[in-house]
Amino acid sequence: MLPRSRQALTRQIDQFVIAEIGGTFVGCGSLFRLGNDLVEVRSIGLREEGKGKGVGTMILEKLVEEARRQRIPKIMALTYATDFFLKNGFAVVEKEIFPEKVWTDCVNCKKQHACDEIAVLKRLD
Ligand SMILES: CC(C)(COP(=O)(O)OP(=O)(O)OC[C@H]1O[C@@H](n2cnc3c(N)ncnc32)[C@H](O)[C@@H]1OP(=O)(O)O)[C@@H](O)C(=O)NCCC(=O)NCCS
């Protein structure tokens, strides 16, 4: 997961889903629109005490549901938690099929020439 500035988070706050257990915040995830037909899962992460209980899956399902509601046919992520996404119906793809991502974010990323994150995609159409 990449660090995000407070300013960037404030701008995107309405795109976030949060999870609570017993009224306590345990995790979140967000959607970021990359183009007319593509949205990215960003900032999906749980506090240690929230992990391994299906909460991540619930957050991801909510984000997928929201992408469907907006009629966006493709949802992607760059991740190290590849199996988590595979278990939720995503497939591994080449990063290069997302020029929208490469030319907006990756060009400004310190790791751009040594990116070891895996691209995953789920088609919703
Ligand atoms: C990845 C993360 C959101 C998963 O949330 P979670 O609630 O623990 O996951 P779930 O309980 O819904 O697990 C669903 C499945 O994904 C697998 N999984 C969970 N975390 C995983 C990980 N980090 N890597 C690979 N697979 C993982 C689980 O084993 C589980 O499989 P099972 O159904 O066969 O048992 C959480 O571990 C996390 O916050 N990780 C740190 C931040 C991160 O890596 N975010 C992803 C950045 S894109």
Side-chain angles (χ1 to χ4, degrees):
M1 192 172 5
L2 294 176
R4 306 271 173 215
S5 67
R6 176 175 285 269
Q7 194 186 22
L9 288 173
T10 306
R11 243 189 347 256
Q12 294 292 318
I13 200 70
D14 59 339
Q15 304 300 313
F16 273 76
V17 164
I18 66 155
E20 294 178 344
I21 297 179
T24 302
F25 172 87
V26 290
C28 65
S30 73
L31 283 184
F32 184 81
R33 190 80 176 243
L34 286 170
N36 285 340
D37 66 346
L38 183 64
V39 72
E40 179 184 11
V41 175
R42 276 192 181 176
S43 307
I44 187 163
L46 302 181
R47 284 185 162 165
E48 228 26 77
E49 64 269 27
K51 288 182 184 173
K53 301 181 175 119
V55 177
T57 296
M58 286 169 68
I59 292 173
L60 188 54
E61 283 173 351
K62 261 292 185 229
L63 296 173
V64 167
E65 190 184 307
E66 177 58 20
R68 279 192 207 280
R69 196 189 66 75
Q70 294 181 28
R71 300 188 189 285
I72 303 167
K74 293 186 288 179
I75 182 164
M76 62 81 68
L78 288 182
T79 190
Y80 296 116
T82 314
D83 281 353
F84 167 70
F85 283 93
L86 295 183
K87 284 176 177 170
N88 282 289
F90 284 69
V92 171
V93 292
E94 296 295 325
K95 291 182 200 75
E96 291 66 26
I97 70 169
F98 303 119
E100 305 92 328
K101 175 72 184 166
V102 173
W103 291 109
T104 51
D105 291 332
C106 301
V107 285
N108 299 314
C109 179
K110 279 187 279 187
K111 294 197 324 188
Q112 73 166 284
H113 297 298
C115 177
D116 53 357
E117 291 194 294
I118 304 293
V120 291
L121 171 70
K122 180 171 180 151
R123 295 202 66 106
L124 306 179
D125 50 5

mmCIF file of all heavy atoms in Angstrom, residues 1-2 26-28 41-48 50-60 77-88 117-118 120, ligand 1:
data_model
loop_
_atom_site.group_PDB
_atom_site.id
_atom_site.type_symbol
_atom_site.label_atom_id
_atom_site.label_comp_id
_atom_site.label_asym_id
_atom_site.label_seq_id
_atom_site.Cartn_x
_atom_site.Cartn_y
_atom_site.Cartn_z
ATOM 1 N N MET A 1 0.846 -1.184 0.000
ATOM 2 C CA MET A 1 0.000 0.000 0.000
ATOM 3 C C MET A 1 0.891 1.246 0.000
ATOM 4 O O MET A 1 1.817 1.310 0.780
ATOM 5 C CB MET A 1 -0.896 -0.018 1.245
ATOM 6 C CG MET A 1 -1.963 1.004 1.163
ATOM 7 S SD MET A 1 -3.242 0.966 2.454
ATOM 8 C CE MET A 1 -2.778 -0.248 3.615
ATOM 9 N N LEU A 2 0.572 2.202 -0.889
ATOM 10 C CA LEU A 2 1.396 3.405 -0.965
ATOM 11 C C LEU A 2 0.932 4.452 0.048
ATOM 12 O O LEU A 2 -0.258 4.537 0.341
ATOM 13 C CB LEU A 2 1.289 4.023 -2.369
ATOM 14 C CG LEU A 2 1.869 3.204 -3.513
ATOM 15 C CD1 LEU A 2 1.592 3.895 -4.846
ATOM 16 C CD2 LEU A 2 3.362 2.998 -3.321
ATOM 17 N N VAL A 26 -11.630 -0.655 12.036
ATOM 18 C CA VAL A 26 -10.605 -1.694 11.846
ATOM 19 C C VAL A 26 -9.971 -1.674 10.459
ATOM 20 O O VAL A 26 -8.940 -2.322 10.244
ATOM 21 C CB VAL A 26 -11.139 -3.124 12.115
ATOM 22 C CG1 VAL A 26 -11.424 -3.331 13.592
ATOM 23 C CG2 VAL A 26 -12.347 -3.462 11.269
ATOM 24 N N GLY A 27 -10.576 -0.948 9.504
ATOM 25 C CA GLY A 27 -9.962 -0.956 8.183
ATOM 26 C C GLY A 27 -10.741 -0.135 7.178
ATOM 27 O O GLY A 27 -11.822 0.386 7.468
ATOM 28 N N CYS A 28 -10.162 -0.034 5.981
ATOM 29 C CA CYS A 28 -10.803 0.792 4.948
ATOM 30 C C CYS A 28 -10.343 0.352 3.565
ATOM 31 O O CYS A 28 -9.453 -0.496 3.420
ATOM 32 C CB CYS A 28 -10.435 2.264 5.150
ATOM 33 S SG CYS A 28 -8.677 2.582 4.918
ATOM 34 N N VAL A 41 -8.776 -0.088 -7.100
ATOM 35 C CA VAL A 41 -8.924 -0.294 -5.650
ATOM 36 C C VAL A 41 -7.662 0.268 -5.006
ATOM 37 O O VAL A 41 -6.556 -0.144 -5.351
ATOM 38 C CB VAL A 41 -9.037 -1.793 -5.297
ATOM 39 C CG1 VAL A 41 -9.065 -1.989 -3.778
ATOM 40 C CG2 VAL A 41 -10.267 -2.413 -5.946
ATOM 41 N N ARG A 42 -7.853 1.202 -4.070
ATOM 42 C CA ARG A 42 -6.708 1.819 -3.392
ATOM 43 C C ARG A 42 -6.876 1.746 -1.897
ATOM 44 O O ARG A 42 -7.998 1.725 -1.382
ATOM 45 C CB ARG A 42 -6.648 3.320 -3.738
ATOM 46 C CG ARG A 42 -5.965 3.595 -5.025
ATOM 47 C CD ARG A 42 -5.708 5.069 -5.118
ATOM 48 N NE ARG A 42 -5.074 5.383 -6.374
ATOM 49 C CZ ARG A 42 -4.792 6.608 -6.773
ATOM 50 N NH1 ARG A 42 -5.110 7.631 -6.017
ATOM 51 N NH2 ARG A 42 -4.194 6.799 -7.915
ATOM 52 N N SER A 43 -5.759 1.792 -1.228
ATOM 53 C CA SER A 43 -5.748 1.976 0.243
ATOM 54 C C SER A 43 -6.596 0.944 0.967
ATOM 55 O O SER A 43 -7.240 1.264 1.963
ATOM 56 C CB SER A 43 -6.239 3.387 0.614
ATOM 57 O OG SER A 43 -5.515 4.358 -0.085
ATOM 58 N N ILE A 44 -6.607 -0.305 0.470
ATOM 59 C CA ILE A 44 -7.357 -1.324 1.200
ATOM 60 C C ILE A 44 -6.411 -1.912 2.253
ATOM 61 O O ILE A 44 -5.329 -2.394 1.929
ATOM 62 C CB ILE A 44 -7.990 -2.380 0.262
ATOM 63 C CG1 ILE A 44 -8.901 -3.325 1.050
ATOM 64 C CG2 ILE A 44 -6.995 -3.150 -0.560
ATOM 65 C CD1 ILE A 44 -9.876 -4.118 0.178
ATOM 66 N N GLY A 45 -6.802 -1.789 3.495
ATOM 67 C CA GLY A 45 -5.925 -2.267 4.563
ATOM 68 C C GLY A 45 -6.664 -2.323 5.882
ATOM 69 O O GLY A 45 -7.600 -1.555 6.113
ATOM 70 N N LEU A 46 -6.217 -3.250 6.708
ATOM 71 C CA LEU A 46 -6.858 -3.455 8.000
ATOM 72 C C LEU A 46 -5.853 -3.282 9.123
ATOM 73 O O LEU A 46 -4.662 -3.551 8.949
ATOM 74 C CB LEU A 46 -7.414 -4.887 8.094
ATOM 75 C CG LEU A 46 -8.424 -5.313 7.040
ATOM 76 C CD1 LEU A 46 -8.856 -6.736 7.312
ATOM 77 C CD2 LEU A 46 -9.627 -4.411 7.054
ATOM 78 N N ARG A 47 -6.364 -2.881 10.276
ATOM 79 C CA ARG A 47 -5.554 -2.948 11.489
ATOM 80 C C ARG A 47 -5.303 -4.416 11.785
ATOM 81 O O ARG A 47 -6.106 -5.276 11.419
ATOM 82 C CB ARG A 47 -6.312 -2.330 12.656
ATOM 83 C CG ARG A 47 -6.319 -0.825 12.608
ATOM 84 C CD ARG A 47 -6.982 -0.309 13.847
ATOM 85 N NE ARG A 47 -6.652 1.087 14.050
ATOM 86 C CZ ARG A 47 -7.304 1.878 14.892
ATOM 87 N NH1 ARG A 47 -8.309 1.399 15.605
ATOM 88 N NH2 ARG A 47 -6.951 3.129 15.028
ATOM 89 N N GLU A 48 -4.195 -4.690 12.478
ATOM 90 C CA GLU A 48 -3.798 -6.074 12.771
ATOM 91 C C GLU A 48 -4.969 -6.878 13.354
ATOM 92 O O GLU A 48 -5.240 -8.001 12.931
ATOM 93 C CB GLU A 48 -2.629 -6.046 13.760
ATOM 94 C CG GLU A 48 -1.420 -6.892 13.458
ATOM 95 C CD GLU A 48 -1.141 -7.231 12.015
ATOM 96 O OE1 GLU A 48 -0.646 -6.385 11.247
ATOM 97 O OE2 GLU A 48 -1.420 -8.386 11.660
ATOM 98 N N GLY A 50 -8.015 -6.657 12.917
ATOM 99 C CA GLY A 50 -9.147 -6.895 12.006
ATOM 100 C C GLY A 50 -8.855 -7.949 10.952
ATOM 101 O O GLY A 50 -9.757 -8.405 10.236
ATOM 102 N N LYS A 51 -7.586 -8.359 10.846
ATOM 103 C CA LYS A 51 -7.193 -9.255 9.749
ATOM 104 C C LYS A 51 -7.672 -10.688 9.958
ATOM 105 O O LYS A 51 -7.832 -11.141 11.094
ATOM 106 C CB LYS A 51 -5.669 -9.264 9.602
ATOM 107 C CG LYS A 51 -5.134 -7.975 9.018
ATOM 108 C CD LYS A 51 -3.618 -8.062 8.839
ATOM 109 C CE LYS A 51 -3.076 -6.722 8.344
ATOM 110 N NZ LYS A 51 -1.618 -6.706 8.314
ATOM 111 N N GLY A 52 -7.871 -11.396 8.827
ATOM 112 C CA GLY A 52 -8.156 -12.823 8.874
ATOM 113 C C GLY A 52 -9.568 -13.179 9.313
ATOM 114 O O GLY A 52 -9.836 -14.303 9.698
ATOM 115 N N LYS A 53 -10.489 -12.219 9.212
ATOM 116 C CA LYS A 53 -11.876 -12.471 9.643
ATOM 117 C C LYS A 53 -12.858 -12.220 8.510
ATOM 118 O O LYS A 53 -14.054 -12.066 8.744
ATOM 119 C CB LYS A 53 -12.232 -11.542 10.806
ATOM 120 C CG LYS A 53 -11.349 -11.672 12.030
ATOM 121 C CD LYS A 53 -11.821 -10.709 13.125
ATOM 122 C CE LYS A 53 -11.019 -10.914 14.390
ATOM 123 N NZ LYS A 53 -10.286 -9.744 14.805
ATOM 124 N N GLY A 54 -12.332 -12.056 7.299
ATOM 125 C CA GLY A 54 -13.242 -11.800 6.175
ATOM 126 C C GLY A 54 -13.597 -10.340 5.983
ATOM 127 O O GLY A 54 -14.374 -9.995 5.093
ATOM 128 N N VAL A 55 -13.021 -9.450 6.807
ATOM 129 C CA VAL A 55 -13.380 -8.025 6.706
ATOM 130 C C VAL A 55 -12.828 -7.422 5.407
ATOM 131 O O VAL A 55 -13.508 -6.641 4.728
ATOM 132 C CB VAL A 55 -12.879 -7.231 7.940
ATOM 133 C CG1 VAL A 55 -13.198 -5.753 7.798
ATOM 134 C CG2 VAL A 55 -13.492 -7.794 9.219
ATOM 135 N N GLY A 56 -11.606 -7.825 5.032
ATOM 136 C CA GLY A 56 -11.017 -7.335 3.784
ATOM 137 C C GLY A 56 -11.896 -7.716 2.598
ATOM 138 O O GLY A 56 -12.143 -6.895 1.700
ATOM 139 N N THR A 57 -12.384 -8.948 2.621
ATOM 140 C CA THR A 57 -13.276 -9.404 1.545
ATOM 141 C C THR A 57 -14.553 -8.570 1.526
ATOM 142 O O THR A 57 -15.021 -8.160 0.455
ATOM 143 C CB THR A 57 -13.612 -10.903 1.741
ATOM 144 O OG1 THR A 57 -12.394 -11.639 1.599
ATOM 145 C CG2 THR A 57 -14.623 -11.390 0.732
ATOM 146 N N MET A 58 -15.089 -8.275 2.710
ATOM 147 C CA MET A 58 -16.323 -7.462 2.758
ATOM 148 C C MET A 58 -16.086 -6.068 2.190
ATOM 149 O O MET A 58 -16.916 -5.535 1.445
ATOM 150 C CB MET A 58 -16.838 -7.366 4.202
ATOM 151 C CG MET A 58 -17.468 -8.648 4.692
ATOM 152 S SD MET A 58 -17.784 -8.633 6.464
ATOM 153 C CE MET A 58 -19.066 -7.424 6.563
ATOM 154 N N ILE A 59 -14.934 -5.476 2.521
ATOM 155 C CA ILE A 59 -14.621 -4.138 1.992
ATOM 156 C C ILE A 59 -14.496 -4.208 0.466
ATOM 157 O O ILE A 59 -15.062 -3.393 -0.263
ATOM 158 C CB ILE A 59 -13.320 -3.583 2.625
ATOM 159 C CG1 ILE A 59 -13.527 -3.294 4.108
ATOM 160 C CG2 ILE A 59 -12.842 -2.328 1.891
ATOM 161 C CD1 ILE A 59 -12.252 -2.912 4.863
ATOM 162 N N LEU A 60 -13.758 -5.221 -0.010
ATOM 163 C CA LEU A 60 -13.550 -5.351 -1.459
ATOM 164 C C LEU A 60 -14.889 -5.584 -2.173
ATOM 165 O O LEU A 60 -15.139 -4.985 -3.233
ATOM 166 C CB LEU A 60 -12.564 -6.500 -1.736
ATOM 167 C CG LEU A 60 -12.078 -6.649 -3.168
ATOM 168 C CD1 LEU A 60 -11.480 -5.348 -3.710
ATOM 169 C CD2 LEU A 60 -11.029 -7.771 -3.258
ATOM 170 N N ALA A 77 -6.180 -3.387 -9.429
ATOM 171 C CA ALA A 77 -5.361 -2.995 -8.275
ATOM 172 C C ALA A 77 -3.919 -3.352 -8.584
ATOM 173 O O ALA A 77 -3.648 -4.236 -9.408
ATOM 174 C CB ALA A 77 -5.818 -3.722 -7.015
ATOM 175 N N LEU A 78 -3.004 -2.650 -7.929
ATOM 176 C CA LEU A 78 -1.591 -3.054 -7.899
ATOM 177 C C LEU A 78 -1.339 -3.504 -6.472
ATOM 178 O O LEU A 78 -1.636 -2.755 -5.534
ATOM 179 C CB LEU A 78 -0.673 -1.888 -8.245
ATOM 180 C CG LEU A 78 -0.642 -1.431 -9.697
ATOM 181 C CD1 LEU A 78 0.368 -0.290 -9.851
ATOM 182 C CD2 LEU A 78 -0.275 -2.558 -10.636
ATOM 183 N N THR A 79 -0.795 -4.693 -6.299
ATOM 184 C CA THR A 79 -0.784 -5.260 -4.950
ATOM 185 C C THR A 79 0.358 -6.234 -4.704
ATOM 186 O O THR A 79 0.954 -6.762 -5.650
ATOM 187 C CB THR A 79 -2.130 -5.991 -4.696
ATOM 188 O OG1 THR A 79 -2.220 -6.352 -3.320
ATOM 189 C CG2 THR A 79 -2.291 -7.224 -5.563
ATOM 190 N N TYR A 80 0.640 -6.465 -3.416
ATOM 191 C CA TYR A 80 1.489 -7.591 -3.004
ATOM 192 C C TYR A 80 0.619 -8.731 -2.471
ATOM 193 O O TYR A 80 1.094 -9.835 -2.289
ATOM 194 C CB TYR A 80 2.457 -7.168 -1.896
ATOM 195 C CG TYR A 80 3.458 -6.112 -2.305
ATOM 196 C CD1 TYR A 80 3.453 -4.861 -1.726
ATOM 197 C CD2 TYR A 80 4.410 -6.385 -3.291
ATOM 198 C CE1 TYR A 80 4.363 -3.888 -2.107
ATOM 199 C CE2 TYR A 80 5.319 -5.422 -3.672
ATOM 200 C CZ TYR A 80 5.288 -4.179 -3.084
ATOM 201 O OH TYR A 80 6.184 -3.227 -3.466
ATOM 202 N N ALA A 81 -0.645 -8.416 -2.177
ATOM 203 C CA ALA A 81 -1.561 -9.420 -1.616
ATOM 204 C C ALA A 81 -2.327 -10.098 -2.754
ATOM 205 O O ALA A 81 -3.560 -10.115 -2.786
ATOM 206 C CB ALA A 81 -2.503 -8.753 -0.620
ATOM 207 N N THR A 82 -1.576 -10.674 -3.679
ATOM 208 C CA THR A 82 -2.180 -11.198 -4.911
ATOM 209 C C THR A 82 -3.258 -12.248 -4.621
ATOM 210 O O THR A 82 -4.346 -12.205 -5.208
ATOM 211 C CB THR A 82 -1.087 -11.820 -5.812
ATOM 212 O OG1 THR A 82 -0.001 -10.904 -5.859
ATOM 213 C CG2 THR A 82 -1.594 -12.064 -7.220
ATOM 214 N N ASP A 83 -2.960 -13.179 -3.708
ATOM 215 C CA ASP A 83 -3.922 -14.265 -3.445
ATOM 216 C C ASP A 83 -5.247 -13.735 -2.902
ATOM 217 O O ASP A 83 -6.305 -14.299 -3.193
ATOM 218 C CB ASP A 83 -3.347 -15.285 -2.460
ATOM 219 C CG ASP A 83 -2.386 -16.231 -3.145
ATOM 220 O OD1 ASP A 83 -2.282 -16.177 -4.396
ATOM 221 O OD2 ASP A 83 -1.742 -17.024 -2.442
ATOM 222 N N PHE A 84 -5.162 -12.673 -2.118
ATOM 223 C CA PHE A 84 -6.393 -12.066 -1.586
ATOM 224 C C PHE A 84 -7.300 -11.641 -2.752
ATOM 225 O O PHE A 84 -8.511 -11.884 -2.744
ATOM 226 C CB PHE A 84 -6.035 -10.877 -0.687
ATOM 227 C CG PHE A 84 -7.193 -10.002 -0.326
ATOM 228 C CD1 PHE A 84 -8.188 -10.461 0.531
ATOM 229 C CD2 PHE A 84 -7.306 -8.718 -0.854
ATOM 230 C CE1 PHE A 84 -9.280 -9.649 0.857
ATOM 231 C CE2 PHE A 84 -8.382 -7.904 -0.529
ATOM 232 C CZ PHE A 84 -9.368 -8.372 0.325
ATOM 233 N N PHE A 85 -6.702 -11.020 -3.759
ATOM 234 C CA PHE A 85 -7.505 -10.575 -4.912
ATOM 235 C C PHE A 85 -7.944 -11.773 -5.768
ATOM 236 O O PHE A 85 -9.080 -11.805 -6.244
ATOM 237 C CB PHE A 85 -6.716 -9.550 -5.737
ATOM 238 C CG PHE A 85 -6.704 -8.183 -5.103
ATOM 239 C CD1 PHE A 85 -5.680 -7.806 -4.252
ATOM 240 C CD2 PHE A 85 -7.739 -7.288 -5.325
ATOM 241 C CE1 PHE A 85 -5.677 -6.553 -3.641
ATOM 242 C CE2 PHE A 85 -7.756 -6.037 -4.728
ATOM 243 C CZ PHE A 85 -6.725 -5.667 -3.877
ATOM 244 N N LEU A 86 -7.048 -12.754 -5.944
ATOM 245 C CA LEU A 86 -7.428 -13.935 -6.749
ATOM 246 C C LEU A 86 -8.628 -14.633 -6.104
ATOM 247 O O LEU A 86 -9.544 -15.062 -6.803
ATOM 248 C CB LEU A 86 -6.257 -14.911 -6.876
ATOM 249 C CG LEU A 86 -5.033 -14.406 -7.655
ATOM 250 C CD1 LEU A 86 -3.981 -15.512 -7.774
ATOM 251 C CD2 LEU A 86 -5.418 -13.900 -9.039
ATOM 252 N N LYS A 87 -8.625 -14.709 -4.756
ATOM 253 C CA LYS A 87 -9.743 -15.364 -4.065
ATOM 254 C C LYS A 87 -11.027 -14.560 -4.189
ATOM 255 O O LYS A 87 -12.104 -15.053 -3.883
ATOM 256 C CB LYS A 87 -9.396 -15.590 -2.599
ATOM 257 C CG LYS A 87 -8.440 -16.752 -2.484
ATOM 258 C CD LYS A 87 -7.938 -17.035 -1.112
ATOM 259 C CE LYS A 87 -7.063 -18.283 -1.208
ATOM 260 N NZ LYS A 87 -6.311 -18.570 -0.019
ATOM 261 N N ASN A 88 -10.907 -13.319 -4.629
ATOM 262 C CA ASN A 88 -12.087 -12.476 -4.807
ATOM 263 C C ASN A 88 -12.391 -12.232 -6.288
ATOM 264 O O ASN A 88 -13.002 -11.215 -6.644
ATOM 265 C CB ASN A 88 -11.904 -11.163 -4.044
ATOM 266 C CG ASN A 88 -12.146 -11.350 -2.546
ATOM 267 O OD1 ASN A 88 -13.275 -11.553 -2.120
ATOM 268 N ND2 ASN A 88 -11.079 -11.348 -1.756
ATOM 269 N N GLU A 117 5.058 -4.642 -7.697
ATOM 270 C CA GLU A 117 3.659 -4.922 -7.392
ATOM 271 C C GLU A 117 3.035 -5.688 -8.563
ATOM 272 O O GLU A 117 3.459 -5.554 -9.709
ATOM 273 C CB GLU A 117 2.897 -3.627 -7.136
ATOM 274 C CG GLU A 117 3.320 -2.955 -5.843
ATOM 275 C CD GLU A 117 2.353 -1.876 -5.407
ATOM 276 O OE1 GLU A 117 2.256 -0.860 -6.118
ATOM 277 O OE2 GLU A 117 1.712 -2.041 -4.373
ATOM 278 N N ILE A 118 2.031 -6.477 -8.235
ATOM 279 C CA ILE A 118 1.364 -7.295 -9.244
ATOM 280 C C ILE A 118 0.044 -6.608 -9.625
ATOM 281 O O ILE A 118 -0.697 -6.152 -8.745
ATOM 282 C CB ILE A 118 1.046 -8.708 -8.669
ATOM 283 C CG1 ILE A 118 2.308 -9.385 -8.143
ATOM 284 C CG2 ILE A 118 0.316 -9.569 -9.700
ATOM 285 C CD1 ILE A 118 3.324 -9.746 -9.188
ATOM 286 N N VAL A 120 -3.727 -6.695 -10.903
ATOM 287 C CA VAL A 120 -4.863 -7.632 -10.944
ATOM 288 C C VAL A 120 -6.088 -6.894 -11.482
ATOM 289 O O VAL A 120 -6.233 -5.679 -11.288
ATOM 290 C CB VAL A 120 -5.164 -8.235 -9.553
ATOM 291 C CG1 VAL A 120 -4.066 -9.190 -9.109
ATOM 292 C CG2 VAL A 120 -5.395 -7.151 -8.508
HETATM 293 C C1 LIG B 1 -4.940 -7.818 2.362
HETATM 294 C C2 LIG B 1 -5.958 -7.593 3.498
HETATM 295 C C3 LIG B 1 -6.800 -6.330 3.189
HETATM 296 C C4 LIG B 1 -6.867 -8.829 3.556
HETATM 297 O O1 LIG B 1 -7.889 -8.627 4.512
HETATM 298 P P1 LIG B 1 -8.420 -9.818 5.446
HETATM 299 O O2 LIG B 1 -9.704 -9.401 6.057
HETATM 300 O O3 LIG B 1 -7.316 -10.233 6.350
HETATM 301 O O4 LIG B 1 -8.680 -10.969 4.374
HETATM 302 P P2 LIG B 1 -9.861 -12.029 4.393
HETATM 303 O O5 LIG B 1 -10.010 -12.559 5.782
HETATM 304 O O6 LIG B 1 -11.078 -11.442 3.751
HETATM 305 O O7 LIG B 1 -9.194 -13.171 3.478
HETATM 306 C C5 LIG B 1 -9.720 -13.623 2.254
HETATM 307 C C6 LIG B 1 -8.707 -14.578 1.648
HETATM 308 O O8 LIG B 1 -7.541 -13.837 1.206
HETATM 309 C C7 LIG B 1 -6.352 -14.398 1.780
HETATM 310 N N1 LIG B 1 -5.462 -13.316 2.204
HETATM 311 C C8 LIG B 1 -5.677 -12.447 3.209
HETATM 312 N N2 LIG B 1 -4.644 -11.584 3.310
HETATM 313 C C9 LIG B 1 -3.763 -11.939 2.361
HETATM 314 C C10 LIG B 1 -2.496 -11.427 1.970
HETATM 315 N N3 LIG B 1 -1.918 -10.377 2.599
HETATM 316 N N4 LIG B 1 -1.853 -12.008 0.930
HETATM 317 C C11 LIG B 1 -2.406 -13.065 0.306
HETATM 318 N N5 LIG B 1 -3.615 -13.607 0.626
HETATM 319 C C12 LIG B 1 -4.275 -13.051 1.651
HETATM 320 C C13 LIG B 1 -6.823 -15.165 3.003
HETATM 321 O O9 LIG B 1 -5.936 -16.225 3.270
HETATM 322 C C14 LIG B 1 -8.198 -15.620 2.638
HETATM 323 O O10 LIG B 1 -8.154 -16.868 1.978
HETATM 324 P P3 LIG B 1 -9.067 -18.114 2.477
HETATM 325 O O11 LIG B 1 -10.477 -17.663 2.208
HETATM 326 O O12 LIG B 1 -8.624 -19.232 1.621
HETATM 327 O O13 LIG B 1 -8.767 -18.264 3.927
HETATM 328 C C15 LIG B 1 -5.259 -7.443 4.880
HETATM 329 O O14 LIG B 1 -4.487 -8.593 5.152
HETATM 330 C C16 LIG B 1 -4.341 -6.227 4.987
HETATM 331 O O15 LIG B 1 -4.762 -5.176 5.466
HETATM 332 N N6 LIG B 1 -3.052 -6.353 4.579
HETATM 333 C C17 LIG B 1 -2.088 -5.264 4.669
HETATM 334 C C18 LIG B 1 -2.343 -4.213 3.637
HETATM 335 C C19 LIG B 1 -2.328 -4.766 2.230
HETATM 336 O O16 LIG B 1 -1.478 -5.584 1.864
HETATM 337 N N7 LIG B 1 -3.302 -4.304 1.426
HETATM 338 C C20 LIG B 1 -3.421 -4.656 0.023
HETATM 339 C C21 LIG B 1 -2.817 -3.543 -0.761
HETATM 340 S S1 LIG B 1 -3.474 -3.461 -2.378
#
